[in-house]
Amino acid sequence: MLEFMWMWAFFLLPLPLLALLLPSKKQGQEAALRVPSLTAGIEAKSQRKGAKKLSVLLASLAWIALVLATARPQWLGESVSIPAEGRDLMIAVDLSGSMKIDDMQVNGRQVDRLKMIKFVLSDFIKRRVGDRLGLILFADTAYLQAPLTYDRKTVEQLLNESLIGLVGEQTAIGDAIGLAIKRFETRKESNKVLVLLTDGQNTAGNITPEQANELAINNGVTVYTIGVGADKMLVQSFFGNRQVNPSQDLDEGMLTDIATSTGGRYFRARDAESLKQIYATLDKLEPIARESKQMRPLQALYFYPLSFALLITILMGLFPLFKQFFLKEATK
């Protein structure tokens, strides 16, 4: 169903007519001596009238389109029922520099840690029907990318658009937990679950992991921590290939303490398959009962008339150039 959010905008339609009430500009004195061609004068006058009518028509169409865009047209779809049960899950993803280590595999291809998380987490998000999801990205500090919402598609898109180093190179685990707790404060009926994925230790931020852990306990937030990174990795050196541990900076002790003290669990994701199994465990979290709601999808349409008005404005700007071009061609 088509509707306009700001119906009052249509009162602006007759506004250009006020220009007719303005005093007309006085024409200057004509030259004392004029020897025009009678036929040429008639043709020029006729051309001016035609050009003026066309300009008025285009300007009127542009103004109507602008008023339509201002009225904010939108399309309301059919009602969609939201499940009466669901979970509130806040997902915090580490974007520090170490996430670019390519010690993971997806479909037989070597990829970095963030790409592997995106690959597996996208499927996890799609399955969260009836759940409210939020997204936090953290490195030097933590930023809220998406508040708790039923719009899983937007959360997935924001995750896929995230880049390593977008918010710095270090790791502020305490800030990420603190930000999640703050977002849960307004949720009275909520199971308040945070899923935190990181590959390192806390090296930045305004809140230490210990302080964040205490806040989580006091506010009833359950934290599930996931340590990302392989145990073994072959690297090339001057003396040939050698085996290293790319996850030596992962602070598993700290992540385990945070998880267990808040009633959650610590998981280790060494590859994509183990991360899938972790998400399968999180699927079993008990949902909370909510009041059943009806929602109608909303699609904004204002950009159609706005684009039309812009196109007409461009044509009006180019019209004098076309006119000069055709006049030159005609005089040749």
Side-chain angles (χ1 to χ4, degrees):
M1 182 181 68
L2 180 66
E3 69 171 25
F4 296 92
M5 191 170 180
W6 294 342
M7 290 292 293
W8 56 263
F10 289 108
F11 289 106
L12 300 175
L13 280 173
L15 192 61
L17 297 177
L18 296 178
L20 299 177
L21 302 178
L22 298 176
S24 59
K25 184 178 179 182
K26 293 183 179 180
Q27 296 182 350
Q29 286 186 340
E30 297 183 355
L33 180 63
R34 291 181 61 191
V35 190
S37 169
L38 180 61
T39 305
I42 295 173
E43 289 178 355
K45 188 174 182 180
S46 177
Q47 289 176 356
R48 286 197 299 270
K49 281 187 176 181
K52 185 176 181 180
K53 287 181 179 179
L54 181 59
S55 298
V56 171
L57 176 61
L58 290 176
S60 299
L61 289 174
W63 177 251
I64 293 172
L66 283 174
V67 171
L68 280 173
T70 304
R72 294 187 64 180
Q74 53 192 13
W75 182 263
L76 281 176
E78 296 296 326
S79 298
V80 178
S81 297
I82 298 176
E85 289 187 337
R87 309 167 184 84
D88 283 349
L89 297 175
M90 189 68 75
I91 302 170
V93 178
D94 187 354
L95 294 185
S96 61
S98 56
M99 291 292 286
K100 67 179 67 171
I101 298 176
D102 55 349
D103 58 346
M104 295 290 158
Q105 285 195 349
V106 172
N107 296 330
R109 185 167 57 95
Q110 201 78 9
V111 297
D112 61 52
R113 295 168 176 177
L114 181 60
K115 287 181 180 176
M116 186 273 290
I117 288 176
K118 290 180 180 180
F119 175 77
V120 182
L121 196 53
S122 292
D123 182 62
F124 176 75
I125 291 173
K126 290 175 182 176
R127 297 202 311 268
R128 304 272 61 80
V129 179
D131 292 349
R132 278 189 294 233
L133 297 179
L135 179 63
I136 292 173
L137 303 177
F138 66 97
D140 288 355
T141 187
Y143 294 91
L144 180 70
Q145 283 295 97
L148 288 169
T149 176
Y150 290 109
D151 189 354
R152 305 188 310 279
K153 187 176 180 180
T154 298
V155 175
E156 182 185 2
Q157 180 180 346
L158 290 171
L159 172 66
N160 290 330
E161 291 176 353
S162 62
L163 299 171
I164 296 173
L166 182 66
V167 288
E169 295 290 328
Q170 301 186 67
T171 310
I173 295 174
D175 282 10
I177 298 174
L179 181 57
I181 294 169
K182 185 177 180 180
R183 302 307 302 182
F184 279 128
E185 285 180 351
T186 58
R187 303 288 179 180
K188 295 181 179 179
E189 295 181 0
S190 171
N191 42 14
K192 298 182 181 180
V193 175
L194 168 64
V195 180
L196 185 139
L197 300 98
T198 184
D199 68 342
Q201 56 185 320
N202 192 82
T203 57
N206 299 314
I207 304 176
T208 65
E210 292 75 22
Q211 292 172 329
N213 186 23
E214 186 176 349
L215 288 172
I217 296 173
N218 294 336
N219 288 273
V221 177
T222 305
V223 184
Y224 289 84
T225 54
I226 301 175
V228 181
D231 290 328
K232 301 176 182 179
M233 181 181 178
L234 290 177
V235 296
Q236 292 183 343
S237 65
F238 182 76
F239 300 101
N241 293 335
R242 62 188 182 91
Q243 183 174 288
V244 298
N245 178 13
S247 301
Q248 59 184 355
D249 292 331
L250 180 63
D251 192 346
E252 293 191 273
M254 178 264 294
L255 295 176
T256 302
D257 290 342
I258 292 175
T260 54
S261 62
T262 59
R265 286 178 57 186
Y266 168 69
F267 301 95
R268 181 65 190 278
R270 294 176 174 84
D271 49 41
E273 192 58 37
S274 61
L275 190 56
K276 288 181 181 178
Q277 295 175 1
I278 293 169
Y279 291 149
T281 302
L282 295 176
D283 286 342
K284 299 176 184 178
L285 288 175
E286 184 177 353
I288 57 173
R290 298 195 186 102
E291 182 182 352
S292 182
K293 294 182 179 179
Q294 295 281 332
M295 292 187 69
R296 300 185 68 178
L298 181 67
Q299 182 182 3
L301 303 175
Y302 71 90
F303 47 85
Y304 289 114
L306 188 60
S307 301
F308 182 67
L310 179 61
L311 178 62
I312 292 177
T313 304
I314 293 174
L315 289 176
M316 292 178 66
L318 295 176
F319 182 72
L321 299 178
F322 288 132
K323 184 179 177 181
Q324 290 180 6
F325 174 77
F326 287 121
L327 286 175
K328 287 181 180 178
E329 291 293 325
T331 56
K332 285 183 179 180

